[in-house]
Amino acid sequence: MKLAIIGTGYVGLVSGACFAEVGHTVICVDNDPAKVKVLTDGGIPIYEPGLEEMVKANVAAGRLRFTTSTEEGVQGSDVIFIAVPTPPLPDGSVDLSYIEKVAREIASAMTSYKIVVDKSTVPVKTGDKVSETIKRYCKAKVEFDVVSNPEFLREGFAVDDLMHPDRVVIGTKSLRPVNAMKQIYLPFNAPIVVTDINSAELIKHASNSFLALKISYINAISVICEATGANVQEVANGMGMDERIGRRFLDASLGFGGSCFPKDLSAFIKISEQVGYDFGLLKEVQKINTFQMDRFVKKISETLWVLKDKTIGVLGLAFKQNTDDVRMSPAIDLCLRLQKEGAILRVYDPKAMDKAKGVLKDVTFVEDMDSVPEGCDALVVATEWEQFKKLDLERCRGAMTHPIMFDGRNMFDPAEMEQLGFIYKSIGR
Ligand code: NAD
C-alpha cells in the first residue's frame, strides 16, 4: 500500500522503515529540513539497533523516501500516519498543537479519500478533534476516516518491536478503513484488536501507566528490601515466576524516565481529573519514582559527605540502554543534581554523548568507558548498557581515588564488588 508518515522521529522513522520492509511504499515527512537532509543524504538521525541497514535497503529498493512536504506525502498516499510529538504542558496535560497543525496540513492537501491514522500518543477523544479539524479545513470536501493506531515500541528495541508486535490496535468509528488497516499489518502476523477510537486511545495511556506502575511497585519493594536485608532481585525473580505477574518491568533502579512514561503518566492523571476521577494510584507511582531518585542522590551524598569538588564518574546518559535518547533521562537528571551540589563530572555513554552535549554543560565527556574512573572519588552506573558489565573492575579500582560505586541499575554482584575492594551501593540489595 502507499503510506505517508508525518513526523520522522523515533516512531515515524522506524515505522516507515518497517512498513517499507514488508513491501509497502512509504513517504516519510518531517518539517525539520536538517533531519530530512541527513536522511536523503543516506544518514540516520537517531540510533536504533538494526535501523540503519533497514532504511538503506528500503531506500535502495525504492520503497522508502523522505520529504519536507506534507502535501507530497498526503497526495502520494492512501493512508497517512501521524507520528508527531505530544509533549507535556507545564500542568501535565498534553500539548496537542503538533497534532492539530498536522491535521490542518493534511486537510488542506487532501484531494481524494484518505485514511488518517493517529500513531502519536494522545488523550482519549483526540480522534474526534482530529476529525472535526480535518472536516473544517478540507477545502476539497473529500471523504476521509480517522483511525487510532497507538504505537507500543520500546526505544532500543524498536525495529524488533515493530516487526513483531504483541498486538496491533485499530480504533475506528466506521468499518470502511478496517480492511486497509488490516492489509497494512497483515505481513507482521500479529493479533489485531479492532475497537472504537476512544478505547484505542485509552489502551495506550492505560498500558504505559500500568508499566510505570510496575516499575514503581518494585522500586517501593526495594525500599523495604534495603530496610530488612532482603534482596530485591531475588524478590522480583520469585514474583516474576508467577505467570499472572511476569518478570518484565520488575527491575529496581534509580527510577524510570524517557520521553514516554513520565509524560503519559501525567497526561493520564490529567485526563482522569478532567472526567472527575482522582487517579491517586498513578500520583503515587510518580511520587515513588521521584523518591527513588532522591534516595539514590542521598545515598551518594551521605557516603561522600560533601559533594563539592568531588570527582564523580557517570556511566550512562541515555534514559535506557540501546538508545541515544536523553529526553527526561534519569541519568541526566542525576548529573544535574550532582553538579548542583558542586561535584565535578566525568561522563560516558556508548551512543548518547552527542545528544547529552546539548543538555549537560561543564562536564568532561570521556571517550571510552574504561577511562571514566580515572581520578574519581566515586563511580555511578546510571544506564543499564550491557557493555558496562565488561568494565575492567581491577583497573577501575586502581584508577579511582576511592573505589566507591553507586549502581543505579544493579549491574554488578554486591559480594564480588566487596571482594574486589569496592564500597558498593546498589538498589534494594
Ligand atoms: P520525535 O520527537 O522523535 O519525532 C517527532 C518528529 O515529528 C520530529 O522529527 C519532528 O521534527 C516532527 N514534526 C513535528 N511537527 C511536524 C509537522 N508539523 N510536520 C512534520 N513533521 C513534524 O517523537 P517520537 O519519540 O517519535 O514520538 C512521537 C509520538 O509517538 C509521541 O506522541 C510519542 O508519545 C509517541 N510514542 C513514542 C514512543 C517512543 O518510544 N519514542 C513510543 C510509542 C509512542
Side-chain angles (χ1 to χ4, degrees):
M1 293 191 66
K2 288 184 182 162
L3 314 179
I5 319 257
I6 319 285
T8 308
Y10 284 89
V11 168
L13 181 58
V14 186
S15 302
C18 292
F19 284 144
E21 179 75 11
V22 298
H24 302 303
T25 304
V26 183
I27 308 176
C28 279
V29 181
D30 205 285
N31 66 351
D32 177 351
K35 195 174 259 190
V36 173
K37 183 166 184 340
V38 168
L39 287 159
T40 41
D41 288 351
I44 303 285
I46 55 170
Y47 172 72
E48 196 57 59
L51 181 62
E52 187 168 355
E53 302 84 315
M54 193 181 261
V55 168
K56 285 190 172 151
N58 284 286
V59 168
R63 285 190 299 264
L64 180 62
R65 64 195 174 86
F66 306 98
T67 178
T68 51
S69 164
T70 303
E71 190 177 1
E72 184 187 336
V74 171
Q75 292 181 353
S77 314
D78 307 311
V79 182
I80 299 133
F81 287 84
I82 302 174
V84 294
T86 47
L89 288 166
D91 71 349
S93 62
V94 182
D95 177 357
L96 289 166
S97 61
Y98 295 83
I99 298 277
E100 194 265 354
K101 184 165 180 262
V102 171
R104 279 189 281 125
E105 287 169 357
I106 293 171
S108 49
M110 280 178 6
T111 50
S112 57
Y113 173 77
K114 303 288 172 194
I115 301 172
V116 179
V117 184
D118 176 39
K119 220 177 214 323
S120 294
T121 303
V122 294
V124 57
K125 288 185 168 293
T126 299
D128 291 346
K129 293 282 183 204
V130 169
S131 272
E132 281 168 29
T133 306
I134 295 179
K135 205 175 275 175
R136 197 172 300 148
Y137 286 87
C138 179
K139 289 191 197 83
K141 299 292 168 212
V142 290
E143 292 190 347
F144 67 92
D145 275 297
V146 169
V147 170
S148 167
N149 172 221
E151 182 47 61
F152 300 95
L153 66 80
R154 296 163 300 161
E155 282 179 29
F157 304 90
V159 170
D160 201 44
D161 284 349
L162 264 155
M163 293 305 291
H164 310 283
D166 287 345
R167 79 303 205 184
V168 171
V169 174
I170 296 171
T172 168
K173 245 185 192 150
S174 88
L175 286 177
R176 188 169 176 189
V178 172
N179 274 346
M181 291 304 296
K182 282 189 172 167
Q183 208 179 316
I184 291 170
Y185 280 105
L186 196 67
F188 297 95
N189 267 328
I192 293 182
V193 180
V194 178
T195 180
D196 61 283
I197 298 186
N198 290 348
S199 302
E201 290 169 338
L202 266 178
I203 286 171
K204 176 64 190 180
H205 269 132
S207 299
N208 267 11
S209 298
F210 187 79
L211 292 171
L213 180 148
K214 215 173 162 189
I215 297 172
S216 275
Y217 187 82
I218 200 67
N219 279 338
I221 302 287
S222 79
V223 180
I224 312 291
C225 288
E226 282 174 35
T228 56
N231 181 327
V232 76
Q233 280 175 320
E234 301 290 329
V235 176
N237 289 343
M239 284 171 66
M241 287 167 84
D242 186 326
E243 278 181 18
R244 294 170 302 174
I245 298 173
R247 178 64 179 82
R248 292 168 78 188
F249 283 78
L250 285 183
D251 289 313
S253 68
L254 74 176
F256 59 77
S259 71
C260 290
F261 284 0
K263 90 162 161 70
D264 292 350
L265 205 51
S266 308
F268 206 27
I269 290 170
K270 211 70 198 169
I271 292 161
S272 312
E273 216 173 279
Q274 280 157 4
V275 299
Y277 178 63
D278 178 8
F279 213 147
L281 178 66
L282 297 187
K283 290 182 186 164
E284 199 58 33
V285 170
Q286 288 181 317
K287 216 162 98 188
I288 293 168
N289 201 45
T290 308
F291 181 56
Q292 199 68 354
M293 177 63 87
D294 291 346
R295 282 186 341 107
F296 193 64
V297 173
K298 194 167 162 215
K299 226 178 250 183
I300 299 173
S301 57
E302 275 179 359
T303 310
L304 300 182
W305 188 19
V306 171
L307 292 185
K308 190 169 175 344
D309 296 334
K310 294 274 162 61
T311 302
I312 300 179
V314 179
L315 291 175
L317 298 168
F319 84 95
K320 57 189 248 188
Q321 65 169 325
N322 290 338
T323 180
D324 62 347
D325 197 350
V326 297
R327 292 177 290 180
M328 299 211 58
S329 167
I332 300 285
D333 182 20
L334 178 69
C335 287
L336 295 174
R337 290 178 69 156
L338 296 175
Q339 248 183 340
K340 209 168 153 203
E341 299 291 321
I344 299 157
L345 302 184
R346 293 171 57 76
V347 304
Y348 169 79
D349 190 283
K351 296 288 176 194
M353 300 267 266
D354 282 347
K355 294 210 164 126
K357 282 175 187 164
V359 283
L360 283 183
K361 302 293 166 206
D362 303 320
V363 304
T364 303
F365 287 93
V366 183
E367 287 306 320
D368 71 296
M369 166 176 88
D370 284 305
S371 302
V372 175
E374 277 163 27
C376 284
D377 296 283
L379 192 62
V380 175
V381 181
T383 309
E384 72 280 26
W385 283 97
E386 269 304 302
Q387 77 168 70
F388 295 160
K389 289 186 179 158
K390 297 197 186 106
L391 188 71
D392 184 339
L393 291 167
E394 299 268 2
R395 185 179 149 190
C396 173
R397 188 194 53 208
M400 292 177 74
T401 312
H402 298 289
I404 305 177
M405 185 191 278
F406 300 95
D407 185 352
R409 299 289 181 172
N410 287 349
M411 299 204 69
F412 297 96
D413 178 53
E416 264 174 47
M417 292 302 285
E418 227 163 86
Q419 213 170 16
L420 281 164
F422 279 85
I423 294 174
Y424 175 76
K425 306 208 173 189
S426 55
I427 311 277
R429 339 179 273 174

